[in-house]
Amino acid sequence: MNQSAQPRVSGLEVRSIDYVPLDERHGKLWHLGPLWFMSNAQIATLAVGLISITEGGNLVWSLLAIVAGTVIGTFFMAFHSAQGPQLGLPQMIQSRPQFGYIGALLVWLFAYVQYAGFNVFNSILAADALHTTLHGSVKLWVVVVTAVALVIALVGYDIIHKAERFLTYTFLVIFGIFTVGVLVTLHYPAGSFDLGAFKWTPFLAQFGVVAGYQISWAIYVSDYSRYLPPHVTVRKTFYWTYFGSALGGIWLMVLGTLLAAWAGKDFETITSINAAGDKVFDGFGAIVLLFAALGLVSVTALNMYGGSLTLISGIDSFKRIRPTLGARLLTIGLTAALSLIGALSATSHFLANFNDFLLLVLYLFIPWTAVNLMDYYVVRRGHYAIAEIFNPHGIYGRWGWHGIIAYLAGFAAMIPFFSVGTLYVGPAAKALGGADISLFIGLPVSGVLYWWLTRSIDVAAEARLAEEEAEALERAAHDHQEP
């Protein structure tokens, strides 16, 4: 396994998909809290809280759907976090033991599309916020946002953690005031808090989008915990990730629902935030938007960073790639360029269908997260021969048919329950009045099927191989050698 001899060159992170050796592990467990809080506490998350209101649901049931969707969706995402310190690997490369050296390309392709899709939306939203407050061309601001995010992503892991901690502290002040203003100064339609006005379809639509949004973070999680020492406990890693992400998500989604209920058909993210902020005092809306733009820059950097790791993983499946600073620069640059092209060419039609995009993300990653978590926590119980993950002829094989079959079966089982706006409503969803419960189908089908298919795996033999390779793995991480 080719590795980098030094973790940093002139302050820039060098490591990418390679194993992080024990003597380079650093950071504090609580840093995961602000990182995942701020990753969710940015105004793109507002859009996730609009579904129920726009489909005829009332405010109180929209709020309950948001809380329920966040509680359940974040549960799966946070369990991925413990994989980082234990394995010292980014998230998506960990798909090889389940899907195979080549077979993992299936989920990597979907992951890369997700990174690009979110970045198009995030950079346009940030550019609109800057255009509203500082004026200038939206397209110019898209370029500026992309360039700044690229620099942050290139510097890498440590600067991303530090930026998210700083933004968290600032967020608590600015958005704390803004949220109090929204609760105190805005008025809502009659019946907004009527518990008797329950409607299944908007409730489940809101629940599904929220759960999907939270689960969509699963492909990022180990990327930002893999430098932590391996002795950190699974439980505490889970808690810091779970509560950080859940609190940030609920806060912003609730704000989105409150603003949409207040503004009604006139709701537009930037305009409504600006107007609601100015009700606190003149000019406060601009302050909120300027800070919100910084939050969007940071999450755009997260997407570039994760997109780079995914792209390197994909390239490595065809040609062994040495994880160097040059590889990071090339793949981050390519990811930024693709996002920039998408943002500059995007139309209002793309933005209007962002929630459909979120549902598609849910559909694609429900089976993957079920397979990955079942493998880590039940089948192999955290024991992986890490060097074999980088061996095209290793024990995990080129095609992991257990994972691929479980994934495809889970996805196929979900199709009748899909309900994606005007794009597609499956027969089961139609029978349920348009309600989408595919989440509850895909998770158990993929997870249980994967467990059943992998009963013959000799986990003890894999664990012994991992112990035998451990010393060589550490040595190779410093010496550019094959373990």
Side-chain angles (χ1 to χ4, degrees):
M1 178 172 58
N2 290 322
Q3 308 284 358
S4 304
Q6 298 177 357
R8 296 257 161 195
V9 175
S10 302
L12 304 181
E13 183 182 2
V14 173
R15 296 200 181 279
S16 56
I17 64 172
D18 47 331
Y19 168 76
V20 179
L22 298 178
D23 61 358
E24 290 178 17
R25 303 297 185 90
H26 64 281
K28 298 179 180 178
L29 190 55
W30 70 266
H31 291 171
L32 294 174
L35 183 132
W36 292 114
F37 174 85
M38 198 61 223
S39 296
N40 250 342
Q42 33 84 18
I43 62 173
T45 310
L46 281 172
V48 187
L50 309 180
I51 286 290
S52 180
I53 293 293
T54 58
E55 292 192 4
N58 74 346
L59 181 57
V60 67
W61 283 109
S62 300
L63 297 176
L64 291 172
I66 286 170
V67 173
T70 303
V71 166
I72 291 177
T74 312
F75 181 84
F76 297 97
M77 167 265 193
F79 266 119
H80 289 284
S81 192
Q83 298 170 335
Q86 300 305 312
L87 302 181
L89 296 173
Q91 191 68 63
M92 295 312 292
I93 199 71
Q94 297 174 31
S95 296
R96 278 181 176 166
Q98 302 100 51
F99 295 91
Y101 196 87
I102 301 295
L105 286 167
L106 170 72
V107 290
W108 293 343
L109 173 63
F110 298 153
Y112 198 73
V113 169
Q114 175 183 313
Y115 287 126
F118 276 112
N119 260 6
V120 170
F121 183 79
N122 293 335
S123 56
I124 291 175
L125 200 57
D128 282 341
L130 293 167
H131 167 73
T132 300
T133 54
L134 301 178
H135 309 296
S137 164
V138 170
K139 290 189 175 182
L140 173 63
W141 285 119
V142 166
V143 174
V144 172
V145 167
T146 303
V148 174
L150 185 151
V151 172
I152 295 171
L154 182 61
V155 176
Y157 181 95
D158 287 338
I159 192 66
I160 290 173
H161 268 275
K162 290 177 182 176
E164 298 292 47
R165 290 199 295 277
F166 167 78
L167 290 172
T168 294
Y169 305 142
T170 313
F171 175 94
L172 293 174
V173 175
I174 295 176
F175 268 77
I177 296 170
F178 178 66
T179 302
V180 171
V182 166
L183 294 172
V184 171
T185 65
L186 302 188
H187 302 285
Y188 307 104
S192 290
F193 297 96
D194 180 8
L195 287 171
F198 177 76
K199 296 179 182 178
W200 266 112
T201 301
F203 179 87
L204 287 176
Q206 183 67 76
F207 175 91
V209 168
V210 170
Y213 189 73
Q214 291 303 97
I215 289 173
S216 72
W217 288 109
I219 67 171
Y220 300 68
V221 188
S222 285
D223 297 355
Y224 300 101
S225 62
R226 73 190 198 276
Y227 280 91
L228 288 172
H231 59 72
V232 298
T233 65
V234 171
R235 181 177 299 178
K236 290 182 178 179
T237 307
F238 173 88
Y239 286 156
W240 279 112
T241 303
Y242 184 94
F243 288 107
S245 181
L247 290 173
I250 288 174
W251 190 333
L252 267 293
M253 293 176 205
V254 164
L255 273 179
T257 299
L258 293 172
L259 290 171
W262 163 67
K265 295 181 180 179
D266 297 327
F267 176 83
E268 290 183 6
T269 301
I270 301 300
T271 304
S272 298
I273 290 173
N274 197 26
D278 283 347
K279 284 183 174 291
V280 178
F281 61 83
D282 286 342
F284 185 60
I287 294 173
V288 173
L289 288 177
L290 284 171
F291 175 77
L294 291 178
L296 288 165
V297 169
S298 74
V299 78
T300 300
L302 259 73
N303 285 324
M304 289 183 188
Y305 186 89
S308 166
L309 294 173
T310 302
L311 191 55
I312 292 173
S313 299
I315 295 170
D316 187 70
S317 294
F318 295 105
K319 178 179 173 56
R320 300 298 300 279
I321 185 170
R322 190 173 180 178
T324 62
L325 178 60
R328 290 192 66 246
L329 177 60
L330 178 64
T331 52
I332 289 173
L334 179 59
T335 304
L338 291 174
S339 300
L340 179 62
I341 292 169
L344 293 177
S345 60
T347 64
S348 58
H349 182 69
F350 171 85
L351 300 180
N353 287 287
F354 181 62
N355 287 316
D356 289 343
F357 173 74
L358 290 177
L359 278 174
L360 293 173
V361 166
L362 168 67
Y363 299 149
L364 292 171
F365 284 103
I366 283 295
W368 170 80
T369 200
V371 167
N372 185 266
L373 291 178
M374 180 63 73
D375 187 63
Y376 186 86
Y377 286 100
V378 179
V379 177
R380 290 187 167 95
R381 300 184 182 182
H383 298 295
Y384 292 85
I386 294 173
E388 297 298 303
I389 291 175
F390 296 90
N391 182 358
H393 307 291
I395 62 172
Y396 299 121
R398 295 175 67 81
W399 299 93
W401 292 112
H402 296 150
I404 293 171
I405 291 170
Y407 178 96
L408 294 176
F411 187 83
M414 292 167 63
I415 292 175
F417 298 88
F418 287 173
S419 182
V420 194
T422 58
L423 297 179
Y424 175 77
V425 179
K430 287 180 181 178
L432 294 169
D436 188 331
I437 62 168
S438 58
L439 168 71
F440 301 105
I441 306 300
L443 276 170
V445 169
S446 288
V448 173
L449 180 57
Y450 182 78
W451 168 80
W452 186 78
L453 291 172
T454 55
R455 290 173 300 162
S456 61
I457 290 180
D458 190 344
V459 178
E462 291 187 11
R464 288 193 297 270
L465 180 60
E467 291 180 5
E468 293 169 4
E469 293 179 341
E471 185 177 342
L473 180 69
E474 293 291 327
R475 187 170 59 251
H478 297 285
D479 299 337
H480 294 264
Q481 295 176 353
E482 296 292 330

